Amino acid sequence: MATEAAGIDRPLLVDDFLQRRRYQLQLADAAADEHTLVCLPTGLGKTTVSLLVTAERLHEAGGKALFLAPTKPLVQQHADFYREALSIPDDEIVVFTGDVKPDDRAALWDDARIVIATPQVVENDLVGNRISLSDVTHLTFDECHRATGDYAYVYIAERYHADAADPLVTGMSASPGGDTEEIETVCENLGLVNVEVMTEADADVGEYTHDTDVQWEQVTLPDEVLDIRDALNEVITDRLEKLKQLGVTNTTNPDLSQKDLNKMRGQLKQMMDNDQSDGYKGMSTHAEVMKLRRATELVETQSVESVRRYFERQREAARSSGASKASQRMVADPKVREAMRKAESFDGLHPKFSKARILLAETLGINGGERAILFTESRDTAEALVEFLSASFDVRKFVGQGDKDGSDGMSQKQQQETLDEFKAGEFEVLVSTSVAEEGLDVPEVDLVCFYEPVPTAIRSIQRKGRTGRQAEGKVVVLMAEDTRDEAFFWISRRREKKMASQLAELKEATDDIEDSVGDDGQAGLDAFGGGSGGDGDTESDAEVDDNAEKIDADSDASEDDGAGLTDFAAEARGSEDEEEDEEAGASDADENEGDDGVVATAGVDEGVEVVVDQRELDSSIAKDLSTRDGLVTRLETLAVGDYVLSDRVAVERKSAADFVDSMLDSDRSMFEQVGELSRAYARPVMVVEGTNLYGQRDIDPNAIRGALASLAVDFDVSVLRTEGEEDTTELLATIAKREQETRDREVSVHGEKTTKTRAEQQEYVVSSIADIGPVTARTLLEHFGTVEAVMTAPEDDLLEVDGVGPVTAERIREVVGSEYE
């Protein structure tokens, strides 16, 4: 892309809208040629770089562009910028967030030229087969340092490289990682092979930046606050002594590190896995320590008001049904109760409140500043600060959308209105939680105040990027003396220096790093685009051909004889014949437009189909299934089951822990769920996932075996065990392929249960009385002989039946004998 083409006269750009900056054109030049990581300090126009590449690609290659940003406010901000900067009709630049209904997104996708979205929404639409990335010619990952672990960016990148006909990826961040290894991980996860770094030391960049003065202000906690902390620390010491006796720690120091606590938890988990009862007790004590440490952190670094609110929530939690023993023990402890009383009687201010007010007075009053941002980790503290500072300044809060901990969130509209008013100078001070740290176009401010140090380099750099863009800025970090504030400050400072050094080194050594990520990245891209269903097999082409010959040799086996082992293996891998895949298991368009309002899928619509319940997206199973050749996934909110594999097979999946929990859940028992499943599908399946089924919650193993036996014998449910999510994925794929390819069955979310026998119908009628279930229904029918006799039996006669107690007998008579209203 030539420099002139990136200027104000280039196609698709609004004339004279963008300021011409050489470094942006240089970065766009590089990013237009290959998959590129763009590292540029906050506030220097990373979005402009992506926009220039998008305009070039849409003009030259056509198709559509997809821009991903991690939060709704960011998505809306980028959409507004794109609509202003590009001569593309506004209705062709669309926003995808959770506020847009899935069926609306599927329709909008087809007509859009640019889609700006949160990654979770796009991930869901890909898993649900509502959209296809095949014609996306430019994909931007904003704040791409998030592309690690299970974050949606990683899955979307894999799908994009595999599905797009002409892919190009741009990753953008001011702070791509804490070390070179993290940066390389981001590149590998996104398939980036080129790294472009601009720092404030570059001449082209330097003229657009100004020095930021960073200073820290230490405050001393009053004795009353220290007394609250010390009382809590005594309890922590006592609980650590108990954990020390279990052999999972050598210290009782309440200031032990989070790393030590995590190590302790790992040892306790191992004890639980080995069926040691002390592991369960220790885990409960560990949970109590974590709650107490949170309270001490709040009183030390936030405010007494925030710890007061925290205690109140803990009291409410302890009173609720199903409260954890950790919560109950904590609020009942005499020392904790003493700390609660001291917090409630404290009528002073945390010294950080006074210091924040002084800093704002100096900046906005004495020095004639116009705007300031005050960041805090706690929403409780943010609300308390707004209330306190409003007496002296015009202050507004800026928090996330979720309602939590008794605090109302802000809607996307409220967030945008607040930012617009802040930019327009309608108020002076923005008190924000972490939601405004990352990428939001917050206006130039004269002061950024950290209410507490942030222990990560990325977040610290993001926060400080809100100042020093147009003129000299100031950053102040508040620290409470002799608290974990100090530890966090030094950790953050060390990591920032390390990251700055590494970015400088990265700039010097981009060729070497590009060679590293380029080699690995190409291997990764090959994997994205190929493979035999994404199941991790590394078979050579020759081995695949050999297997295909075996499949052909056995293909004349009769259905009555069942499939051979070779057939099972073939089904698990998926067909190697694309024509067969296109013909097998095509989804029914009419089914997609059923009463549940699900719109026909917008993606590739051939292959074996698996319908996935929306609530299963927390696991990796749906994503793994969606990446397999010959498999098509569809998302729905299922009335019963978690996965539908044909018109007769639906699957309820439970982890070992969930299985045991649902045995004990009086509100919605496992047997009720399975009863509904077996009534809807002829071949219901229960998958129990995990290897520690008999080590859950100190439950007698025979009780668990009894539940398994009941599912198989009383409910006629196939109970299958798997080792973990990967094993479950393989099993689901195998069953779905066997049902739809070998048995030539279709998928139906409404099931196709065969006609019930008379006995089944009688059991169904009786089991519906007061939700007593099929097991008790069968016992009642065996005792009384007919449905009519059960219905007319007096309460005393009902009590003679095994398994029917006074409560059940009373409910039966109440349902049967009461007048209909």
Side-chain angles (χ1 to χ4, degrees):
M1 182 173 68
T3 297
E4 290 77 10
I8 57 174
D9 296 328
R10 62 159 295 134
L12 299 183
L13 281 183
V14 172
D15 291 345
D16 300 321
F17 181 78
L18 293 176
Q19 179 185 7
R20 188 181 183 88
R21 295 186 180 184
R22 187 186 305 172
Y23 68 87
Q24 290 177 335
L25 300 176
Q26 182 180 335
L27 291 169
D29 240 355
D33 291 334
E34 53 188 337
H35 309 304
T36 300
L37 169 63
V38 175
C39 299
L40 189 65
T42 300
L44 291 173
K46 293 184 296 297
T47 308
T48 298
V49 174
S50 175
L51 181 139
L52 292 171
V53 179
T54 291
E56 170 78 4
R57 289 289 284 175
L58 292 180
H59 177 66
E60 297 292 336
K64 67 182 65 182
L66 175 61
F67 188 113
L68 299 175
T71 65
K72 290 181 182 178
L74 267 176
V75 165
Q76 191 59 54
Q77 173 187 301
H78 291 313
D80 292 343
F81 175 61
Y82 269 56
R83 286 168 178 154
E84 287 183 291
L86 296 173
S87 58
I88 293 176
D90 284 358
D91 61 357
E92 294 182 15
I93 302 174
V94 301
V95 167
F96 275 23
T97 67
D99 295 333
V100 184
K101 294 180 180 179
D103 51 351
D104 292 339
R105 296 199 300 264
L108 287 168
W109 178 269
D110 291 335
D111 298 328
R113 292 188 72 187
I114 299 175
V115 176
I116 303 176
T118 53
Q120 291 78 15
V121 164
V122 172
E123 179 182 61
N124 290 355
D125 286 348
L126 286 172
V127 173
N129 199 33
R130 299 186 189 106
I131 64 173
S132 169
L133 300 179
S134 59
D135 64 341
V136 173
T137 54
H138 186 218
L139 172 53
T140 300
F141 293 96
D142 191 25
E143 310 297 349
C144 68
H145 52 267
R146 289 173 172 249
T148 59
D150 293 330
Y151 193 67
Y153 278 1
V154 180
Y155 168 76
I156 295 169
E158 179 182 356
R159 287 294 302 269
Y160 181 58
H161 286 292
D163 298 349
D166 186 14
L168 180 68
V169 177
T170 303
M172 306 190 304
S173 180
S175 41
D179 55 40
T180 303
E181 185 177 346
E182 289 181 18
I183 295 168
E184 290 181 356
T185 297
V186 169
C187 290
E188 289 164 8
N189 286 344
L190 298 182
L192 305 176
V193 296
N194 179 42
V195 180
E196 296 291 329
V197 182
M198 291 282 186
T199 70
E200 294 177 359
D202 287 294
D204 291 342
V205 177
E207 64 180 287
Y208 298 101
T209 63
H210 300 273
D211 291 336
T212 298
D213 175 28
V214 181
Q215 64 188 62
W216 56 279
E217 293 281 349
Q218 200 169 42
V219 299
T220 302
L221 297 178
D223 291 340
E224 297 92 332
V225 173
L226 293 175
D227 288 344
I228 298 171
R229 180 195 67 180
D230 293 344
L232 295 172
N233 278 340
E234 283 186 42
V235 186
I236 294 175
T237 299
D238 175 75
R239 302 303 188 261
L240 289 174
E241 180 62 42
K242 293 179 180 179
L243 292 171
K244 186 177 180 180
Q245 292 171 9
L246 294 178
V248 295
T249 181
N250 293 320
T251 181
T252 59
N253 184 347
D255 292 328
L256 78 170
S257 68
Q258 185 61 46
K259 182 179 179 180
D260 290 335
L261 284 165
N262 292 342
K263 182 179 178 182
M264 222 183 291
R265 181 178 176 82
Q267 291 176 272
L268 291 166
K269 180 68 167 61
Q270 192 172 16
M271 292 171 67
M272 292 168 62
D273 291 342
N274 293 330
D275 294 340
Q276 294 176 253
S277 59
D278 283 346
Y280 295 92
K281 297 174 184 176
M283 193 64 84
S284 180
T285 303
H286 183 277
E288 195 178 355
V289 170
M290 295 296 290
K291 292 175 183 293
L292 289 163
R293 276 175 57 86
R294 176 58 177 161
T296 60
E297 181 182 342
L298 289 173
V299 77
E300 282 185 343
T301 69
Q302 297 296 312
S303 66
V304 176
E305 174 61 23
S306 63
V307 80
R308 187 184 297 135
R309 295 185 187 186
Y310 178 75
F311 280 148
E312 181 56 38
R313 289 193 291 270
Q314 292 302 312
R315 273 197 295 258
E316 291 176 4
R319 296 190 198 106
S320 65
S321 60
S324 70
K325 292 181 180 179
S327 293
Q328 292 173 339
R329 278 198 311 272
M330 187 184 79
V331 298
D333 189 280
K335 284 288 183 182
V336 174
R337 296 174 75 87
E338 177 189 345
M340 289 181 182
R341 286 193 296 270
K342 288 182 177 180
E344 288 165 359
S345 62
F346 181 74
D347 58 0
L349 282 175
H350 194 287
K352 287 186 181 180
F353 276 58
S354 303
K355 179 60 71 173
R357 181 168 58 185
I358 292 170
L359 289 168
L360 290 170
E362 290 175 350
T363 302
L364 304 177
I366 298 172
N367 297 328
E370 296 180 356
R371 284 184 291 254
I373 297 180
L374 180 54
F375 282 113
T376 178
E377 293 284 279
S378 163
R379 188 180 288 189
D380 285 340
T381 300
E383 293 175 347
L385 279 167
V386 168
E387 184 178 348
F388 170 69
L389 295 172
S390 293
S392 307
F393 309 97
D394 195 352
V395 187
R396 307 279 175 81
K397 74 173 182 180
F398 191 81
V399 300
Q401 296 184 51
D403 295 338
K404 55 184 179 181
D405 296 341
S407 171
D408 294 334
M410 295 175 67
S411 68
Q412 185 177 348
K413 181 180 179 182
Q414 290 172 322
Q415 289 177 336
Q416 192 59 52
E417 288 174 351
T418 300
L419 287 180
D420 290 343
E421 290 169 1
F422 192 44
K423 291 176 187 177
E426 295 183 24
F427 63 95
E428 306 166 286
V429 181
L430 186 71
V431 177
S432 175
T433 54
S434 58
V435 70
E437 291 176 13
E438 196 167 50
L440 276 183
D441 186 19
V442 177
E444 176 69 20
V445 296
D446 303 287
L447 169 70
V448 170
C449 181
F450 288 35
Y451 188 82
E452 66 283 294
V454 184
T456 65
I458 287 176
R459 292 184 59 194
S460 183
I461 289 170
Q462 294 283 1
R463 284 186 174 189
K464 289 193 296 190
R466 305 294 139 219
T467 186
R469 297 181 187 175
Q470 308 298 332
E472 290 188 4
K474 180 178 180 181
V475 174
V476 177
V477 182
L478 302 182
M479 284 187 294
E481 184 180 5
D482 193 27
T483 69
R484 50 180 51 91
D485 266 357
E486 289 188 344
F488 284 171
F489 172 75
W490 292 111
I491 291 170
S492 175
R493 190 165 183 175
R494 183 175 68 251
R495 288 177 178 172
E496 282 181 52
K497 287 182 178 179
K498 184 178 180 182
M499 179 177 283
S501 173
Q502 285 171 339
L503 282 176
E505 292 172 8
L506 178 64
K507 184 174 177 61
E508 293 294 325
T510 50
D511 290 341
D512 293 337
I513 292 178
E514 285 167 7
D515 288 342
S516 173
V517 299
D519 293 340
D520 294 340
Q522 190 55 52
L525 296 183
D526 292 342
F528 289 157
S532 58
D535 56 4
D537 290 345
T538 56
E539 296 175 318
S540 67
D541 292 339
E543 290 170 329
V544 171
D545 290 339
D546 287 344
N547 285 327
E549 290 176 8
K550 292 176 185 177
I551 296 166
D552 291 337
D554 291 339
S555 61
D556 59 354
S558 72
E559 184 171 296
D560 291 340
D561 291 336
L565 294 178
T566 309
D567 296 313
F568 288 148
E571 290 161 7
R573 282 193 303 275
S575 172
E576 302 297 334
D577 188 329
E578 292 180 3
E579 293 181 4
E580 287 182 4
D581 283 348
E582 290 175 0
E583 294 173 359
S587 62
D588 187 344
D590 293 335
E591 183 69 28
N592 292 345
E593 296 174 352
D595 296 337
D596 51 13
V598 175
V599 173
T601 56
V604 178
D605 199 23
E606 66 258 352
V608 171
E609 184 179 33
V610 177
V611 180
V612 183
D613 185 74
Q614 296 271 9
R615 289 155 291 200
E616 279 292 292
L617 288 174
D618 289 340
S619 78
S620 64
I621 294 171
K623 289 184 285 188
D624 289 345
L625 288 170
S626 72
T627 61
R628 289 172 177 250
D629 292 338
L631 272 180
V632 175
T633 49
R634 174 154 59 95
L635 286 181
E636 291 202 22
T637 302
L638 296 175
V640 295
D642 297 319
Y643 299 89
V644 177
L645 307 182
S646 74
D647 56 357
R648 65 175 184 171
V649 178
V651 177
E652 179 76 25
R653 180 186 77 98
K654 290 192 182 297
S655 68
D658 288 341
F659 182 87
V660 174
D661 287 345
S662 62
M663 288 171 54
L664 310 174
D665 187 351
S666 59
D667 293 332
R668 181 159 172 78
S669 75
M670 172 179 59
F671 299 104
E672 182 181 341
Q673 292 175 306
V674 170
E676 293 172 356
L677 191 68
S678 63
R679 284 191 286 271
Y681 290 88
R683 297 288 186 270
V685 175
M686 166 74 78
V687 170
V688 182
E689 186 178 278
T691 58
N692 188 35
L693 178 59
Y694 297 111
Q696 303 293 326
R697 292 188 59 171
D698 241 357
I699 301 296
D700 185 346
N702 280 333
I704 298 173
R705 294 185 185 103
L708 293 172
S710 178
L711 290 173
V713 177
D714 298 326
F715 291 86
D716 198 22
V717 171
S718 299
V719 182
L720 304 178
R721 299 286 305 278
T722 62
E723 294 181 356
E725 290 186 357
E726 184 177 349
D727 193 14
T728 302
T729 303
E730 297 293 345
L731 179 63
L732 295 177
T734 300
I735 296 173
K737 287 175 183 292
R738 189 170 189 273
E739 282 291 286
Q740 296 175 48
E741 290 183 342
T742 306
R743 306 298 185 190
D744 197 26
R745 305 193 74 94
E746 296 183 350
V747 171
S748 171
V749 296
H750 304 296
E752 190 175 279
K753 183 75 184 263
T754 54
T755 303
K756 292 183 176 71
T757 65
R758 179 185 295 170
E760 287 177 327
Q761 293 179 57
Q762 291 169 325
E763 291 170 9
Y764 179 77
V765 171
V766 175
S767 69
S768 67
I769 305 172
D771 297 325
I772 61 176
V775 178
T776 306
R778 193 170 301 164
T779 306
L780 285 164
L781 284 165
E782 289 171 352
H783 182 87
F784 291 104
T786 66
V787 173
E788 182 179 16
V790 174
M791 297 294 188
T792 58
E795 192 170 324
D796 288 344
D797 291 349
L798 290 170
L799 289 171
E800 295 177 5
V801 179
D802 289 341
V804 177
V807 174
T808 301
E810 183 180 348
R811 281 163 55 200
I812 292 173
R813 291 308 315 148
E814 182 183 356
V815 171
V816 173
S818 299
E819 287 191 19
Y820 175 71
E821 296 179 2

